[in-house]
Amino acid sequence: MSYLGKYLKMPPTFEKLQKLEKVIEKEGYSLDGDLSLCLQLDFPHYEVTPYDAIPFANIGCDGIHYGFLTDFGRVSDLENAFIVCISPMDDFDAHIKIVARNIREFVSLVCTMKGAAEISNFNLIKEEEQYISLFKELKKEVDEEYEEQANYVVEKIISTIGCEVIEDVYHYVEKEVITARENQTMLSTLDGIGIVSLDSMNSKHHIYKLEKDMKINLEDVKSFFNTATRESKLAFIRDVQFTYLISDEIKLKELVINEMIKLGLNDEAGRLKKI
């Protein structure tokens, strides 16, 4: 399972979902058909999929997928990794969002929303009023037959995994999840993910400011890599991907891949090579 990189296997919650999928399929139900949650191994990375994310599910349209955020391999157990939603077709600045603290809570979110597709809407909103409006719209679109099937699958998931329905989705996603992430990160990045604290707490970190469509001087980047802290380099890697600057610059891509390898980020470098 090379797509997992250094991680030997998928976490227990994912494996429970796989087993449950086989059980409910015999009854005419499915996670994919009834909750738009398509479990998938070795899902391809899009240009915007963070290099340190391991996709594990998609919704079956527009390339929207969910992944474990490994923080460049710092996460020791995928069961405890933050979950990111990647929506490749969304406008700039809205294609990545952390939506859950871990896969167990992500499953709770799917059960609450009665679908994984609905969660992708969170990429485009952040205010409480927007969440209220979204729920009103989703309620208008409810199909009784579909809802009955979704409710059955949700009950099966809850009894199997032991997760709970989230009472206040807005507070969970925009307050609890964001606060938990902010408490871990020491440097902010353009994608909102940030960089977690590593080994150079007392070092001075320098951010290489990047903007979409800017012209990058490769010599400046080389100089930056020669002097920057590990955290600053990782922030650069996130930002250069988020702004799409790396997409059309072959030499810049090669430079970043080489720097990744120097940092021991062989999994991430391998994913970038394949994109």
Side-chain angles (χ1 to χ4, degrees):
M1 293 190 286
S2 60
Y3 59 91
L4 287 176
K6 61 178 278 187
Y7 301 94
L8 300 179
K9 61 180 182 178
M10 281 294 195
T13 296
F14 181 87
E15 294 182 339
K16 288 180 181 179
L17 284 174
Q18 281 186 309
K19 292 179 181 179
L20 177 62
E21 176 83 88
K22 294 178 181 179
V23 172
I24 62 176
E25 280 181 346
K26 294 178 181 178
E27 302 175 348
Y29 300 90
S30 73
L31 298 178
D32 181 9
D34 297 312
L35 294 180
S36 62
L37 180 64
C38 179
L39 302 180
Q40 188 165 354
L41 305 178
D42 205 10
F43 189 81
H45 272 62
Y46 280 72
E47 279 187 322
V48 296
T49 307
Y51 307 130
D52 58 336
I54 298 176
F56 65 87
N58 67 81
I59 70 168
C61 68
D62 295 332
I64 296 172
H65 56 289
Y66 297 94
F68 299 107
L69 184 65
T70 70
D71 281 317
F72 295 100
R74 296 286 290 188
V75 171
S76 59
D77 186 351
L78 292 180
E79 185 75 23
N80 301 317
F82 279 89
I83 305 301
V84 288
C85 174
I86 301 99
S87 185
M89 305 304 174
D90 277 342
D91 292 335
F92 181 68
D93 286 349
H95 50 265
I96 300 174
K97 185 168 185 172
I98 296 179
V99 294
R101 288 180 291 202
N102 52 61
I103 187 173
R104 190 183 180 86
E105 292 183 3
F106 170 74
V107 174
S108 292
L109 200 54
V110 172
C111 290
T112 301
M113 300 301 295
K114 295 179 183 177
E118 287 74 9
I119 297 173
S120 65
N121 289 294
F122 300 164
N123 283 40
L124 300 170
I125 63 178
K126 62 179 180 179
E127 303 298 335
E128 186 171 14
E129 293 77 12
Q130 293 174 309
Y131 275 81
I132 293 174
S133 296
L134 173 62
F135 275 96
K136 287 182 179 179
E137 287 300 315
L138 292 176
K139 195 171 184 179
K140 291 179 183 178
E141 300 171 2
V142 169
D143 176 276
E144 290 187 6
E145 183 178 351
Y146 170 79
E147 185 175 30
E148 185 177 335
Q149 291 184 214
N151 285 336
Y152 178 80
V153 177
V154 165
E155 289 175 5
K156 283 287 188 178
I157 291 175
I158 291 176
S159 62
T160 300
I161 295 179
C163 57
E164 300 178 351
V165 169
I166 298 173
E167 295 298 329
D168 189 336
V169 174
Y170 161 75
H171 187 270
Y172 171 73
V173 176
E174 302 297 338
K175 301 298 182 181
E176 293 182 31
V177 173
I178 288 179
T179 298
R181 184 58 184 175
E182 288 178 344
N183 288 338
Q184 280 193 359
T185 56
M186 64 183 303
L187 291 179
S188 61
T189 51
L190 297 176
D191 56 12
I193 294 177
I195 301 299
V196 299
S197 301
L198 302 177
D199 304 316
S200 46
M201 292 293 291
N202 299 318
S203 301
K204 185 176 181 180
H205 304 289
H206 174 64
I207 297 298
Y208 194 113
K209 294 183 179 180
L210 296 169
E211 297 177 1
K212 187 180 180 183
D213 297 324
M214 72 178 286
K215 183 67 176 177
I216 288 187
N217 184 309
L218 292 180
E219 292 304 317
D220 285 347
V221 175
K222 291 178 182 179
S223 178
F224 171 77
F225 281 154
N226 286 333
T227 60
T229 61
R230 184 182 180 90
E231 293 91 338
S232 295
K233 293 176 183 179
L234 296 180
F236 176 91
I237 291 171
R238 284 211 193 285
D239 289 348
V240 81
Q241 178 186 25
F242 187 73
T243 53
Y244 296 101
L245 294 172
I246 199 171
S247 302
D248 301 319
E249 286 283 348
I250 296 178
K251 290 187 179 300
L252 176 60
K253 181 177 180 179
E254 293 175 348
L255 185 60
V256 171
I257 289 175
N258 288 334
E259 190 62 33
M260 282 180 168
I261 294 174
K262 290 179 183 178
L263 293 172
L265 305 177
N266 296 309
D267 295 340
E268 292 77 6
R271 291 167 191 142
L272 176 53
K273 288 178 181 178
K274 292 179 180 179
I275 296 175

